[in-house]
Amino acid sequence: MSANGPPAGSNEFWLFGYGSLIWKPPPHFDRRIEGWVTDYVRRFWQVCVSHSEDHRGTPEAPGRVVTLIERSFWEQLTDHHGSAPHKVWGVAYLIRPDKVDEVKEYLDIREINGYTIHYTLFHPAASVDPALLPRSGPIKALAYIGTPDNEQFVGPQDPQRLAEHIYHSRGPSGLNREYLWELEKALEELSPESGDEHVTDLSNRVRAVAAQDGENGSKSSQTPVNVDTSAEQPIHHDFRQIKSIDEQEETEKTS
Ligand code: BEZ
């Protein structure tokens, strides 16, 4: 099966999430399946612009969010994080058939900032109940990817400078470091093998910067003490199904 187009002869719409979609599901999903894709590398190399869903910075100091880099392209680059797991873990959502058009429209608005649509083969984790799967074998899924030719793509970053940048970025969606730590936690929860050293190393560096800055950067608290946290919630991932896009947008405004 090729991954270059939408699934032939199938109305199923599966969406692969490797970033905030892991802990912030789209509306109208029927199933959420843990698993992985190959041939990509996850990196914090995408600028989040102010009108994007994950606007964790300001126009003057935009934060950083993840994108997927094609592994064959990444192998030609000099990356301070010189290795990357063979499997990029995330989740695939099956969208209700009667809501596919609505969700696609919603996602286009939500994610378009530099990201483009790609189809990839998603491999469900071995632990997934086969009754939840349409068939055995990989599933064709849509992923939003910020490719190197998009304006928000920044390319290889020095990890310490990137960590400091993330530490200092904050926007209407919250602290950039919370996005990073949410991702680290969400990945740890997917499977015993789903950690991503790029994400873990950045998380540790940001905790160290926070500690140096006098903030409580410990992994257990994960909430900086010197910022106004009145609008922030502790990290807790539940995956209740959002019934409407209006409800989803309300949830996002308050999360
Ligand atoms: C993701 O979670 O997969 C994702 C979220 C926002 C933009 C692109 C990808």
Side-chain angles (χ1 to χ4, degrees), residues 24-235:
K24 226 190 270 182
H28 307 306
F29 71 95
D30 260 348
R31 289 175 220 171
R32 177 183 182 276
I33 307 280
E34 296 91 1
W36 41 273
V37 302
T38 58
D39 302 324
Y40 288 103
V41 173
R42 175 175 20 224
R43 286 291 180 264
F44 266 80
W45 290 0
Q46 182 82 357
V47 171
C48 47
V49 289
S50 58
H51 53 283
S52 77
E53 155 59 19
D54 285 311
H55 31 61
R56 307 292 180 128
T58 62
E60 300 75 40
R64 298 284 182 272
V65 286
V66 281
T67 184
L68 294 184
I69 324 292
E70 278 190 30
R71 183 173 276 271
S72 55
F73 176 75
W74 174 79
E75 280 167 351
Q76 298 167 32
L77 304 173
T78 304
D79 184 354
H80 296 77
H81 285 154
S83 64
H86 170 64
K87 298 176 183 176
V88 177
W89 279 82
V91 292
Y93 294 98
L94 176 63
I95 305 299
R96 276 177 43 188
D98 59 320
K99 296 291 183 183
V100 166
D101 288 346
E102 197 182 322
V103 170
K104 279 185 176 166
E105 196 180 327
Y106 165 77
L107 287 167
D108 278 353
I109 296 165
R110 181 182 190 252
E111 315 286 15
I112 204 71
N113 308 283
Y115 292 97
T116 45
I117 284 172
H118 299 257
Y119 286 90
T120 184
L121 291 180
F122 172 82
H123 300 259
S127 57
V128 172
D129 178 354
L132 295 175
L133 302 175
R135 65 195 80 84
S136 64
I139 297 169
K140 203 168 234 183
L142 183 152
Y144 286 87
I145 295 177
T147 54
D149 55 355
N150 90 87
E151 278 184 12
Q152 272 76 250
F153 184 82
V154 284
Q157 311 273 287
D158 172 76
Q160 188 57 28
R161 290 187 62 190
L162 177 55
E164 283 163 15
H165 186 97
I166 290 172
Y167 175 72
H168 287 109
S169 296
R170 161 174 215 154
S173 283
L175 298 168
N176 201 179
R177 55 188 180 269
E178 288 293 346
Y179 169 98
L180 168 65
W181 289 333
E182 294 256 21
L183 179 58
E184 180 193 37
K185 181 171 190 300
L187 288 174
E188 281 172 3
E189 288 171 357
L190 289 183
S191 125
E193 53 161 316
S194 52
D196 182 327
E197 60 211 76
H198 172 72
V199 175
T200 310
D201 179 61
L202 282 176
S203 297
N204 289 337
R205 286 174 189 269
V206 174
R207 277 188 281 273
V209 176
Q212 250 183 355
D213 205 30
E215 291 196 354
N216 183 354
S218 78
K219 200 171 176 180
S220 56
S221 85
Q222 298 203 331
T223 303
V225 294
N226 287 348
V227 294
D228 174 10
T229 56
S230 54
E232 290 157 15
Q233 302 295 317
I235 295 175

